[in-house]
Amino acid sequence: MSRFHLGLSTSGHDPALALVGEDGFILFAEATERFLQDKRAWGAAPDLVGHLEGALKAVGFDSAVDDLVVSTSWARVKADLPVSISNAMLPVADGLWLRGLQAHAQASAGESLLRLGLAPVKPEVRHFDHHLSHATAACSSAPFDQGLCLVIDGEGDVGAASLYRLLEGRLIRIWRSWGPGSLGSFYAWLTAQCGFDWRAGEEWKVMGLAAFGTPDEALVDALESMLDVVDGRPRLPEQAVIDAAAAVARRHARAPGDPIGRAADLAASGQVAYGRIVDRILESCAGLGERNLVLSGGCALNSSYNGTIRGRFGFDQVHVPCAPADDGNAVGAALLSWMQDDPARRAVSGATSAFLGTSPDRRVIDSVVANCGHASVSDVAGPGGMTLLAQRLAAGRIIGVMKGPAEFGPRALGHRSILADPRPGDMKDRLNQRVKGREPYRPFAPMVPADRVEAWFERAQPSPYMSFTLPWKTEARSRVPAVVHADGTGRLQTVEGRSDPWTSALLSAFEAETGVPIILNTSFNVMGKPIIHSVQDAMAVLATTGLDGVLLEDVLIEKSA
């Protein structure tokens, strides 16, 4: 008999599930949005019957002999706390809606076990602190076991920031903020002022657009004043200060139907203000003497800021996990539950693989090959197949990849990616117009061998999960223009052979063909949709866009040239 721990992200948005085995290893983790193909899956259960059933099958769970313990990523129901909802940034109605979703997710956690016949009554559910879930998940993948872990998000159990000390793999809370005062809410508000929808996760559009604007010092000062930082803890200033800053921002705001460029200076100013506020938090951390930093919470997805941290505050290493936002808390809850069974144990740490999700169904692949109607179907297993793929990319073909377990988190890291040659100057526009349907100002990411980063980037550092945006070296920019953003930066993914041998081999084969060890990588989806989940999803993108081919495991299906 084995005991499995099922962790559920129960925020009401970005639901996810994770399974940890008896040895403490993360066996499976996946966001519900992938299974539903519904962006952010607002209000969906993290343990949907079909999704949970597939996850349990993937890890070899046997209901006849195995035990399943359920845990959630919140210690309490927010709606039950005697805390008034502030409308300082986001409307009260949004706050009430979010609290209702969280309450429902907490209350219904574990009910799917009834439908699956895994429990005769609703099981006992363990509940863990939200920020501790963030920190536990993030530190489990850190390449060090001592340092600081800073969590910054929209809202935790009692505040929106927490600082922990990581000591030999164990977490000790140093402080946490209390009450309203949230960098996550600030950036959501900024996203709305720029004419985008934070509910759809469009904060990334603000980061991309910022490179096209010029920060306005008066606007930066106004935006920075919207949050105080006291002893490292963010908190709201007086409402009059917020109202005055918002009035300045409104002069630069963009309505959703206005030209995108109208918001460029606001986006640039907001990004600078965000950086200054986080700088003040990190300045309070620098005096604690630690050389390593882990960042988690939804704000840890701000790769533009993350790329500026290392070295400025005395940190030698900065680590951001593959899923720092609320979906990643499913992993944290599962690990905390596993440790609760034996407090002497600590979570397994140092794991670097983000490939924890669903694998393609081989039977469906065989059916697709038999019935797809495309003339070109190639077996690309082995070195010869890798050379063929590299040749196709070098010839300008755009190929979607669905190979092995899916990545956990918001970034496509080569297993659910669309790949292309970064050298043609028009490749970015071709991808946006023919395949992705995205706005032209949004950048694409470069895949780079980890041992080659210093040759291409300033401030080189590991970035296995696309967590850091770094400046390209000036002489490198003209060689790969499709992955150079307007400000001369790239949100890179560093690839190591030991953690992802297939992608590493493809980069080597592409370099043999072109002399460039870099491939353009973007998520395998179209605008507004999550990353693909099934073989059918992949084939639908092939059929309805200008994608040239799809790799399903080791089978390459191509349209006619």
Side-chain angles (χ1 to χ4, degrees):
M1 176 179 175
S2 295
R3 169 166 279 195
F4 291 80
H5 293 266
L6 171 64
L8 303 176
S9 173
T10 51
S11 296
H13 60 84
D14 302 299
L17 58 82
L19 287 161
V20 167
E22 198 155 79
D23 55 4
F25 282 92
I26 305 162
L27 303 176
F28 186 93
E30 194 161 74
T32 308
E33 70 165 26
R34 301 283 186 95
F35 179 77
L36 286 179
Q37 286 295 287
D38 178 21
K39 193 71 172 176
R40 302 198 71 184
W42 286 95
D47 53 349
L48 286 170
V49 170
H51 197 198
L52 176 57
E53 187 174 34
L56 292 173
K57 181 179 179 181
V59 303
F61 177 82
D62 183 349
S63 60
V65 295
D66 294 330
D67 186 22
L68 188 64
V69 180
V70 182
S71 56
T72 78
S73 61
W74 289 82
R76 48 182 64 85
V77 174
K78 295 289 293 184
D80 293 343
L81 296 178
V83 178
S84 62
I85 299 175
S86 169
N87 68 347
M89 294 185 190
L90 300 180
V92 166
D94 284 349
L96 292 171
W97 175 59
L98 287 166
R99 289 193 174 198
L101 293 179
Q102 190 255 358
H104 178 73
Q106 283 281 89
S108 61
E111 288 181 352
S112 291
L113 272 64
L114 299 171
R115 171 63 182 82
L116 291 172
L118 301 179
V121 297
K122 184 179 176 181
E124 291 282 335
V125 177
R126 300 174 180 180
H127 303 289
F128 295 100
D129 179 85
H130 188 65
H131 282 181
L132 182 59
S133 297
H134 271 303
T136 300
C139 291
S140 71
S141 62
F144 46 80
D145 65 359
Q146 185 164 331
L148 296 176
C149 178
L150 177 63
V151 179
I152 309 176
D153 63 3
E155 188 177 38
D157 280 80
V158 295
S162 295
L163 181 67
Y164 297 85
R165 189 183 300 276
L166 174 65
L167 184 60
E168 296 181 350
R170 297 189 181 278
L171 287 164
I172 304 164
R173 191 173 67 209
I174 298 174
W175 56 254
R176 65 181 177 185
S177 64
W178 291 82
S182 163
L183 269 158
S185 294
F186 166 79
Y187 217 94
W189 172 85
L190 175 67
T191 300
Q193 296 302 304
C194 290
F196 304 125
D197 187 355
W198 65 269
R199 300 165 195 83
E202 293 186 340
E203 289 90 343
W204 296 342
K205 293 186 178 183
V206 178
M207 281 180 264
L209 185 59
F212 292 84
T214 301
D216 177 285
E217 195 60 36
L219 179 56
V220 171
D221 290 344
L223 294 172
E224 186 182 356
S225 73
M226 296 182 77
L227 278 176
D228 288 334
V229 177
V230 180
D231 296 328
R233 302 156 177 83
R235 71 179 189 186
L236 289 176
E238 295 296 324
Q239 186 64 46
V241 175
I242 296 173
D243 291 343
V248 174
R250 278 195 294 271
R251 295 199 292 267
H252 301 264
R254 166 186 169 266
D258 290 343
I260 295 288
R262 174 173 171 77
D265 289 349
L266 176 58
S269 301
Q271 181 66 23
V272 172
Y274 170 90
R276 289 183 183 177
I277 295 167
V278 184
D279 278 356
R280 288 154 62 192
I281 297 174
L282 287 176
E283 284 164 4
S284 75
C285 301
L288 297 174
E290 295 290 353
R291 307 297 298 180
N292 301 315
L293 174 69
V294 178
L295 274 179
S296 191
C299 291
L301 288 169
N302 195 313
S303 56
S304 297
Y305 175 77
N306 295 349
T308 72
I309 295 174
R310 188 178 178 186
R312 288 200 298 126
F313 301 95
F315 297 116
D316 297 327
Q317 298 184 80
V318 181
H319 173 73
V320 178
C322 62
D326 279 13
D327 52 349
N329 276 10
V331 167
L335 288 172
L336 286 166
S337 178
W338 177 82
M339 287 186 282
Q340 190 177 79
D341 279 356
D342 184 353
R345 299 186 299 191
R346 69 180 192 183
V348 177
S349 62
T352 57
S353 176
F355 305 118
L356 297 167
T358 301
S359 294
D361 188 323
R362 187 75 231 187
R363 295 169 302 174
V364 178
I365 294 174
D366 292 341
S367 177
V368 164
V369 169
N371 298 296
C372 69
H374 292 294
S376 179
V377 177
S378 307
D379 183 347
V380 293
M386 197 67 74
T387 299
L388 176 64
L389 285 170
Q391 290 172 342
R392 292 289 198 270
L393 292 172
R397 304 282 274 178
I398 301 170
I399 298 174
V401 174
M402 184 179 196
K403 185 174 180 66
E407 304 91 337
F408 184 47
R411 315 295 196 199
L413 303 173
H415 285 205
R416 300 294 184 276
S417 291
I418 294 173
L419 305 181
D421 187 344
R423 298 173 301 157
D426 67 343
M427 182 56 79
K428 178 180 173 181
D429 290 338
R430 286 175 55 200
L431 270 164
N432 278 326
Q433 292 167 9
R434 291 180 48 198
V435 181
K436 298 286 286 188
R438 298 195 324 179
E439 302 89 344
Y441 65 85
R442 295 173 64 188
F444 292 114
M447 287 175 157
V448 189
D451 60 356
R452 309 288 289 279
V453 177
E454 288 188 1
W456 294 84
F457 287 91
E458 306 289 350
R459 305 200 307 262
Q461 62 181 293
S463 182
Y465 310 129
M466 295 188 193
S467 304
F468 303 94
T469 296
L470 303 178
W472 289 91
K473 290 193 170 181
T474 303
E475 63 274 17
R477 297 175 187 178
S478 61
R479 299 183 67 189
V480 287
V483 287
V484 179
H485 199 31
D487 57 358
T489 64
R491 191 189 71 202
L492 70 159
Q493 174 197 351
T494 55
V495 178
E496 293 191 9
R498 61 183 176 85
S499 58
D500 191 359
W502 184 84
T503 303
S504 178
L506 181 60
L507 286 168
S508 295
F510 187 76
E511 182 178 21
E513 289 292 324
T514 66
V516 172
I518 295 170
I519 293 175
L520 182 154
N521 176 18
T522 186
S523 54
F524 197 166
N525 65 338
V526 294
M527 190 173 71
K529 295 288 289 182
I531 294 173
I532 62 161
H533 180 70
S534 67
V535 173
Q536 293 91 334
D537 295 333
M539 293 304 294
V541 177
L542 179 64
T544 59
T545 73
L547 200 65
D548 295 310
V550 166
L551 178 69
L552 303 174
E553 294 290 17
D554 293 320
V555 177
L556 177 62
I557 300 172
E558 296 178 273
K559 296 175 182 175
S560 299

